[in-house]
Structures are given as structure tokens and as C-alpha cells.
Amino acid sequence: MDESPTGATGHPPGRNGGDRAGRPASARLAHLITELQGYGLRVEVPIESRQGGAGPADAGMLWIDGVAATVPTGAGYAQASPYVLQAEDDGWGVYRDGERLASAQPFQRPRYYDLTTSGGIPYWQIALLHLDSLASTVLQTCAYWGNSDQCAFCGIGVTLANGRTIAKKTPEMLAEVAVAAKNLDGAVDATLTTGSTATPDKGALYVARCGQAVREAAGLPVEVQFEPPRDLAVIDQVADMGIDSVGIHVETFDPQVLARVAPAKARTGIEGYFRAWERAVAAFGEGQVSTYVILGMGEDPDLIAEGCRRAIDIGVYPFVVPLRPTVGSLMENMVAPPAEYCETIYRRVVPYLSARGLGARGVAAGCARCQACSAISLHEASLHEASDGGSHEGRTDADGRIHLPILSNR
Ligand code: SF4
């Protein structure tokens, strides 16, 4: 795991001071990235971005003051953002109303993208580099895609239809690409996901075989992501393959929203996810099991905060992210949730993470290690800075525990 509380970047963290509102550097950056992930960022020239793929996607990738971040750049609403990425004499900056707020470094096209397999498949169609994490959807098909079970936020079929990827990546292909991504472009881990299969294991064993091959060939820590298998013993089999972290994504703790946006996941039910997580924490350890929690789908925020705390209690890291409406998904006409709302949820979750001793820096691999799609780890950093006496935004209690203001518990 990266030493930086803001996620591994391979770049030095920014050293800018606080802003005019008196916020310290970490709080200022946390606020800025939360805003960018809500409003989006206008770009003068196209930057490398992720489009489609399983789960919530579609975002430009860049470092902001040295911190890895994905922010909407291609969506329509991003064109109306007050934030703009501007070229400077020596680099780039993020501006609002003519004021320079941060340095920026757009993600450069990785060198391994120029390579092809002996069978003629471009490496970039097998796995992409998401900033410093090698990422692939190993089965680009899902048993739920195109029928009434399709997850509304998902774009897994979009990239396949556009010819930007291949339907099935083999362990051998992924191992070959992982070695190149590590050696040529400095990939630090691998994040492998899969569409769900109609088999009882839901695809878990195949994505784990792919992860095992990547780990053995490139020596990278690996996260694999899958739905709860019918037989939870499958989770133990995944652990036995040497996988470092797992993502088992409930997506929301509001059961009504889950039923509306992810009917198949709703059949597993939130309690079904908790059963899978308990088994996974026993197999992988506390903090190595994570779930996406997507904000902005009409959920009750109290249910989200309560669900996150319950997950944290059993050692699961809730990776709270704003919705990224994916072009081609059933939610393509939605917009990302307001930054203020996301910040409120982060502030209700982060103190519990800290009190429980969980944090992004403890995750070995995957989305919760990378953290670029959320500002939650920046709020963790802000909290730690506050505990060092650098801020009036947090406080340390008599037991030495650190608290950010909890805006509302009910
Ligand atoms: S289970 Fe849902 S989110 Fe996952 S690939 Fe299938 S449709 Fe997409």
C-alpha cells in the first residue's frame, strides 16, 4: 500500500498551503477534488480517460497537486463546470473564475499501449492503466446485461460494443500485459473485475485465476472483484490462490434504491452481502475487503451512513464514490451528485474508519488502494492533519481519538 494517505500516485504530494478560507492543505485539496468530482472539469484538449467498463465509470484521469484523481470530463454536465484545466507555460493548472487553485498533470498515454500480443491483440484492449493501477474487466459480458437485471449505473457492454476491448481476457494475456505495465509504466497493483456469470461462483474463480497469473508473473498485489458466490466457500478458494484484496460491491445500503438500480444484487440482499463480507474478512483480513458505495442514486443518506458504519465494524472498507453517469448506461442522463452532499457523507464515515483503525493506506490493492475515484481518503488525510493541530476542522478527544465534525447522525 502506498504511504500517501491520498492514494498511491508515484508522484510527490502537493505542498501548497491552505486556502483563503483558512483550510489547511489537505482539507483544501479534499474540498477541491470533491467539487471536481461533482461538477466535472472542462478540458481544453482531450485527456486520457476511462470510458464504459463494469460499475460506475467515465472519467478523465490526472494528478491534482500530486494526488491521483478521476473526474468527469466527457459528460455533458462537465462542459458547464466552473472548473477548467488550463495549459500553462510549464505544465497545467486547475482554475476557477481565473484563479489558479492547483497544479495538474494529465495522465500520459502508457508506453505499453503500443505493444501487441503474438496473436495481434493490442495490450490496451486487454488491460488499461488507471493512473498507477492496471485494470481489466476479465469477462466483458455479464449475465444481467441487456435484460431486466442490468445494473443501471453500469457500462460493461458499452466498451465491448465500441470495439475498445475483447470479450474474454485469459490469465496468460493478463500476465503478459501486467509485466509490461509494471516494467514500462510503473504499475503498482492490478484491479481485476468481471461481469457476473450464470454459474454458482458468479465468475469469482475465473477472475481469481487471472489475478493469480498476474501476481505470479509480475509480482503485483492484486484485487479481484466479484458478486457474492452462492457457496461462500468459493471466497476461501479465491484467498487460497494468493489474491491480496477483494471487492464485493453492494453499491448502496438503501434497499429501495438497490432494488431499483441493481435488481440482481437486490436478490442477494444487503444481508447477503454482509454474510459474504464476514467470510471474506475471515479469509483476507480486516481492511482487505471493500465495497463500492455509490452516492447520488436517490438514497437515504442515513441508511448510507449506518450501512457504512456496520460494514466498518466487521472490517470492511466502504469505498464511497459519487455516481459517474456512464454514456450508454441506463443512467447516462443523470448528473453526478452535489459535492456538498458527498462531503457530508464522507464526514459521517471517515471518523468511524479512523476509530476502527481502517483506512485507504492499509488496503493492499485495487480501487480502495488507488482512491482516485473518491475524495474520501483525502478527508482521512484531512482528519489526520487536524489531529496534528493543523486545523480547527477536527478535534481530538480525551481518549486520543480523532473526530471530524459529524454533521448529522440521524
Ligand atoms: S453485475 Fe451489474 S455492475 Fe457488475 S457487470 Fe453485471 S451489470 Fe455491471
Side-chain angles (χ1 to χ4, degrees):
M1 175 57 200
D2 165 56
E3 291 303 310
S4 162
T6 55
T9 64
H11 292 244
R15 301 198 185 283
N16 291 4
D19 64 5
R20 286 185 200 154
R23 281 182 288 244
S26 57
R28 177 195 60 78
L29 195 55
H31 180 71
L32 174 60
I33 292 181
T34 307
E35 290 257 306
L36 290 170
Q37 291 182 335
Y39 288 109
L41 178 67
R42 285 182 285 129
V43 296
E44 295 174 336
V45 295
I47 64 174
E48 285 285 326
S49 61
R50 180 189 179 206
Q51 298 165 311
D58 276 19
M61 300 184 281
L62 68 170
W63 283 270
I64 298 172
D65 270 359
V67 170
T70 64
V71 302
T73 53
Y77 65 87
Q79 310 314 313
S81 171
Y83 295 96
V84 60
L85 180 72
Q86 288 183 355
E88 301 172 335
D89 290 344
D90 184 22
W92 298 78
V94 175
Y95 289 76
R96 178 171 182 160
D97 300 329
E99 181 185 359
R100 186 182 193 275
L101 301 173
S103 67
Q105 185 179 336
F107 179 61
Q108 300 297 317
R109 188 176 193 276
R111 281 176 280 193
Y112 82 83
Y113 282 15
D114 293 334
L115 303 178
T116 55
T117 66
S118 54
I121 301 170
Y123 276 17
W124 61 265
Q125 288 193 348
I126 296 167
L128 294 170
L129 197 59
H130 290 177
L131 294 157
D132 59 5
S133 187
L134 186 74
S136 179
T137 303
V138 301
L139 296 176
Q140 199 79 33
T141 52
C142 178
Y144 311 137
W145 184 261
N147 58 54
S148 59
D149 281 336
Q150 180 176 328
C151 297
F153 48 79
C154 181
I156 191 168
V158 177
T159 31
L160 189 59
N162 290 346
R164 291 200 301 267
T165 189
I166 57 174
K168 183 175 183 177
K169 293 83 173 178
T170 66
E172 295 75 24
M173 287 176 190
L174 288 158
E176 184 178 333
V177 174
V179 170
K182 179 184 178 187
N183 292 341
L184 296 179
D185 297 287
V188 302
D189 70 3
T191 307
L192 303 182
T193 192
T194 181
S196 282
T197 60
T199 54
D201 74 315
K202 310 278 182 76
L205 293 175
Y206 185 73
V207 71
R209 267 179 52 214
C210 292
Q212 183 180 34
V214 165
R215 218 177 176 289
E216 288 176 1
L220 293 174
V222 174
E223 181 199 44
V224 299
Q225 304 173 349
F226 50 84
E227 268 202 292
R230 210 170 293 163
D231 180 357
L232 296 183
V234 165
I235 292 172
D236 302 332
Q237 291 178 257
V238 172
D240 289 344
M241 290 189 217
I243 301 302
D244 299 273
S245 308
V246 287
I248 303 174
H249 301 157
V250 73
E251 321 291 359
T252 181
F253 286 109
D254 185 326
Q256 291 189 357
V257 173
L258 189 63
R260 176 165 49 80
V261 307
K265 289 176 181 251
R267 285 199 292 278
T268 298
I270 292 170
E271 293 307 316
Y273 276 85
F274 272 97
R275 284 192 290 276
W277 292 336
E278 281 172 359
R279 187 73 170 243
V281 170
F284 291 89
E286 293 190 350
Q288 301 310 328
V289 180
S290 59
T291 177
Y292 263 77
V293 180
I294 305 173
L295 302 180
M297 301 192 297
E299 66 279 353
D300 177 344
D302 291 339
L303 293 177
I304 301 304
E306 286 165 19
C308 287
R309 288 180 212 153
R310 189 179 157 203
I312 292 165
D313 278 344
I314 64 166
V316 172
Y317 185 94
F319 189 43
V320 184
V321 300
L323 175 70
R324 294 276 168 74
T326 300
V327 175
S329 75
L330 300 175
M331 285 184 162
E332 67 175 350
N333 293 322
M334 292 184 67
V335 296
E340 301 75 26
Y341 170 63
C342 295
E343 209 153 48
T344 302
I345 301 293
Y346 297 153
R347 286 180 176 231
R348 293 178 70 176
V349 173
V350 164
Y352 283 84
L353 278 169
S354 181
R356 185 67 172 74
L358 294 183
R361 70 173 67 199
V363 185
C367 296
R369 193 285 307 164
C370 168
Q371 290 283 337
C373 291
S374 171
I376 190 169
S377 71
L378 291 161
H379 287 78
E380 292 174 30
S382 175
L383 182 149
H384 288 293
E385 186 171 322
S387 73
D388 293 337
S391 170
H392 51 268
E393 291 206 338
R395 62 178 177 80
T396 306
D397 69 14
D399 298 324
R401 287 180 306 185
I402 310 153
H403 299 264
L404 277 175
I406 298 175
L407 302 181
S408 168
N409 279 332
R410 293 283 159 209

